[in-house]
Amino acid sequence: MTSADVVVIGGGVNGTSTAFNLARLGVKRVTLLERRALAAGATGKSGSLVRMHYANEAESRLAWESLKIFRDFDAAVGGDCGFEAPGFVQIVGPAHAEALAVNVAMQQRLGIDTRLVSREELRDIVPGVRVDDVGGAAWEPRSGFADPSATTFAFAEAARRLGATVEPDCEALRIVVEGGRVAGVETSRSPIATPVVVAVPGAWAARLLAPLGLDFGLSPYRIQVSIFRWPEGFTRGHPALIDATRAAWIRPEGRASTLIGVELGAGHADPDKYDEGVDEAYVALCREALAARLPAFERATMRGGWAGMIMMSPDGRPIIDQIPSVPGLFVMLGDSGTSFKTSPAIGRCLAEWIVKGKPETADLTPFRSTRFAEGQPWIDATDYGIERPTISR
Ligand SMILES: Cc1cc2nc3c(=O)[nH]c(=O)nc-3n(C[C@H](O)[C@H](O)[C@H](O)COP(=O)(O)OP(=O)(O)OC[C@H]3O[C@@H](n4cnc5c(N)ncnc54)[C@H](O)[C@@H]3O)c2cc1C
């Protein structure tokens, strides 16, 4: 039997961010357990868009606090997270122009560098973009994307430098509860005695939560992306972009390709035996959505794609909480395909909560685990209707 002050379960970007921030705040004995390799879950498959545009203040704030860290990663964490800032554009149809304006005003109040742009400006920002069906567009010049595996490896390395133990190939088999509170973790190696566990197990959460009687209605989903070569003459590139009219999210990939995901085509799957390749039908959906916004891509060469597993919560928003019925258990669950960009702040908030008694960087109340039992699932009044992109970007 070994022991730790805090055990973090899950070596994705949120687990490693939490381990790093715990060590940064002075927790001496932090152990992170990863059943496979770091970034083996959703993180390594992520499209990794980093944008501030949400239809709610809580997530915009987490994204904004995280952007500050992505931008200054070497000083704030150490190493290179591969952050690039070609900017980000949110496009909505005419029915949602008003909601877009409300959301942009909210983001501006938080200090986020964003503004509404006209169709003409949109044409300058996104060369070759189709604008006749655009009801509104918002521009974030300082957003973009990062490298999700590099970010995770850098968080883990920084945690190690500060004294944390990172154990790949070590599965947490059971969270041990004694006397009504967390007492340890049984692992595929030796058991660890600890008063605090942070569970960040992504799509593999069920087997840890069920024995504790915890059921938040989480559902593992397989989601895909595909990549297209830039067609001849398409040389000026483009920023990252979400097109709510097509539920599509897009960003540059490498020197001359575009990565795209669309919401259609996501489906429930078993995270232990899912197909990691991309479906042919999905590639066709992506091509259609991409060419609808950037017509030059109509006959672009498909370069590849893949699938990854995320965990959807019932309302498509993460659960970040200290579980009231299990003192000592903190969680980040139900990433809902949108929790790469917020991971620097999520780890920081969880570490503050454990070390200082409450999160200081942002208010996590909206992410509470009890919202479903309270009959108050998270609904954004100013989302973009049925096309609302809830997953994978
Ligand atoms: C195709 C795709 C595109 C995406 N695009 C974006 C995007 O553009 N922007 C964005 O912000 N987000 C995006 N996401 C979502 C984002 O990648 C995830 O929300 C984020 O990576 C979740 O990180 P995590 O650390 O919470 O979970 P994960 O990365 O899933 O990590 C969980 C880890 O826990 C490990 N684990 C599980 N159970 C145990 C156990 N019992 N013991 C030990 N280890 C365990 C797993 O092996 C895994 O490595 C996308 C996701 C996918 C799949």
Side-chain angles (χ1 to χ4, degrees), residues 296-315:
F297 279 81
E298 195 177 347
R299 292 189 296 130
T301 304
M302 183 272 202
R303 208 192 87 183
W306 61 81
M309 292 298 305
I310 59 164
M311 189 65 121
M312 287 301 292
S313 82
D315 57 12

Side-chain angles (χ1 to χ4, degrees), residues 10 13-14 34-35 42-43 46-49 172 335 339-341 393:
V13 73
N14 282 296
E34 165 52 51
R35 62 198 270 272
T43 298
S46 188
S48 54
L49 260 70
D335 69 282
S339 305
F340 170 73
K341 69 185 75 58
R393 70 242 116 66

Side-chain angles (χ1 to χ4, degrees), residues 9 33 35 170-175 185-188 207-208:
I9 302 174
L33 307 176
R35 62 198 270 272
C170 184
E171 180 166 1
L173 302 175
R174 191 168 75 92
I175 296 168
V185 180
E186 280 175 12
T187 82
S188 52
R207 69 187 70 153
L208 285 176

Side-chain angles (χ1 to χ4, degrees), residues 223-298:
I223 61 172
Q224 307 175 64
V225 295
S226 61
I227 296 175
F228 292 85
R229 282 269 177 211
W230 288 354
E232 185 183 8
F234 191 88
T235 50
R236 283 182 51 204
H238 59 82
L241 192 156
I242 291 180
D243 182 354
T245 71
R246 300 261 162 183
W249 49 276
I250 296 165
R251 70 158 170 86
E253 165 73 10
R255 287 165 61 93
S257 295
T258 288
L259 181 149
I260 174 169
V262 294
E263 267 200 43
L264 293 167
H268 185 81
D270 179 345
D272 290 319
K273 37 179 178 203
Y274 72 98
D275 181 353
E276 290 190 85
V278 66
D279 304 341
E280 214 176 314
Y282 183 81
V283 173
L285 279 174
C286 286
R287 181 191 296 281
E288 196 185 322
L290 184 56
R293 188 54 61 208
L294 293 167
F297 279 81
E298 195 177 347

Side-chain angles (χ1 to χ4, degrees), residues 28-372:
K28 292 271 178 291
R29 297 178 312 145
V30 177
T31 298
L32 180 141
L33 307 176
E34 165 52 51
R35 62 198 270 272
R36 292 179 59 200
L38 295 176
T43 298
K45 303 294 187 67
S46 188
S48 54
L49 260 70
V50 174
R51 44 98 193 177
M52 313 297 101
H53 195 94
Y54 278 96
N56 66 77
E57 188 172 322
E59 285 182 297
S60 280
R61 189 181 291 278
L62 281 183
W64 175 222
E65 292 301 330
S66 296
L67 179 67
K68 295 174 191 171
I69 297 167
F70 279 120
R71 273 201 324 233
D72 201 19
F73 201 81
D74 193 27
V77 180
D80 185 0
C81 67
F83 179 65
E84 294 184 36
F88 166 80
V89 172
Q90 172 76 48
I91 290 175
V92 300
H96 300 120
E98 234 171 84
L100 183 83
V102 171
N103 292 333
V104 168
M106 172 272 287
Q107 290 146 20
Q108 287 171 336
R109 278 198 303 279
L110 295 180
I112 294 167
D113 186 359
T114 181
R115 63 187 171 85
L116 294 172
V117 290
S118 66
R119 285 180 177 182
E120 287 64 39
E121 275 181 284
L122 184 58
R123 274 207 199 90
D124 287 341
I125 293 168
V126 190
V129 70
R130 175 184 160 196
V131 297
D132 60 296
D133 62 341
V134 170
W139 170 231
E140 294 174 14
R142 298 202 280 174
S143 299
F145 58 92
D147 180 323
S149 293
T151 306
T152 304
F153 301 157
F155 273 134
E157 191 47 39
R160 283 192 194 100
R161 275 199 305 275
L162 293 168
T165 303
V166 176
E167 292 201 42
D169 297 314
C170 184
E171 180 166 1
L173 302 175
R174 191 168 75 92
I175 296 168
V176 180
V177 175
E178 280 169 9
R181 59 160 302 124
V182 166
V185 180
E186 280 175 12
T187 82
S188 52
R189 294 187 197 151
S190 48
I192 306 172
T194 184
V196 179
V197 165
V198 187
V200 198
W204 297 265
R207 69 187 70 153
L208 285 176
L209 300 180
L212 301 175
L214 298 174
D215 179 359
F216 303 113
L218 301 170
S219 185
Y221 266 66
R222 171 178 177 264
I223 61 172
Q224 307 175 64
V225 295
S226 61
I227 296 175
F228 292 85
R229 282 269 177 211
W230 288 354
E232 185 183 8
F234 191 88
T235 50
R236 283 182 51 204
H238 59 82
L241 192 156
I242 291 180
D243 182 354
T245 71
R246 300 261 162 183
W249 49 276
I250 296 165
R251 70 158 170 86
E253 165 73 10
R255 287 165 61 93
S257 295
T258 288
L259 181 149
I260 174 169
V262 294
E263 267 200 43
L264 293 167
H268 185 81
D270 179 345
D272 290 319
K273 37 179 178 203
Y274 72 98
D275 181 353
E276 290 190 85
V278 66
D279 304 341
E280 214 176 314
Y282 183 81
V283 173
L285 279 174
C286 286
R287 181 191 296 281
E288 196 185 322
L290 184 56
R293 188 54 61 208
L294 293 167
F297 279 81
E298 195 177 347
R299 292 189 296 130
T301 304
M302 183 272 202
R303 208 192 87 183
W306 61 81
M309 292 298 305
I310 59 164
M311 189 65 121
M312 287 301 292
S313 82
D315 57 12
R317 301 290 154 215
I319 297 167
I320 313 170
D321 205 357
Q322 174 176 22
I323 300 299
S325 60
V326 189
L329 177 59
F330 292 77
V331 299
M332 154 62 196
L333 300 167
D335 69 282
S336 300
T338 181
S339 305
F340 170 73
K341 69 185 75 58
T342 44
S343 58
I346 288 173
R348 187 172 274 194
C349 286
L350 281 167
E352 288 165 351
W353 202 341
I354 291 162
V355 174
K356 303 181 183 185
K358 68 177 172 61
E360 293 174 347
T361 299
D363 175 21
L364 294 183
T365 312
F367 300 92
R368 70 194 179 284
S369 56
T370 52
R371 64 187 190 264
F372 308 107

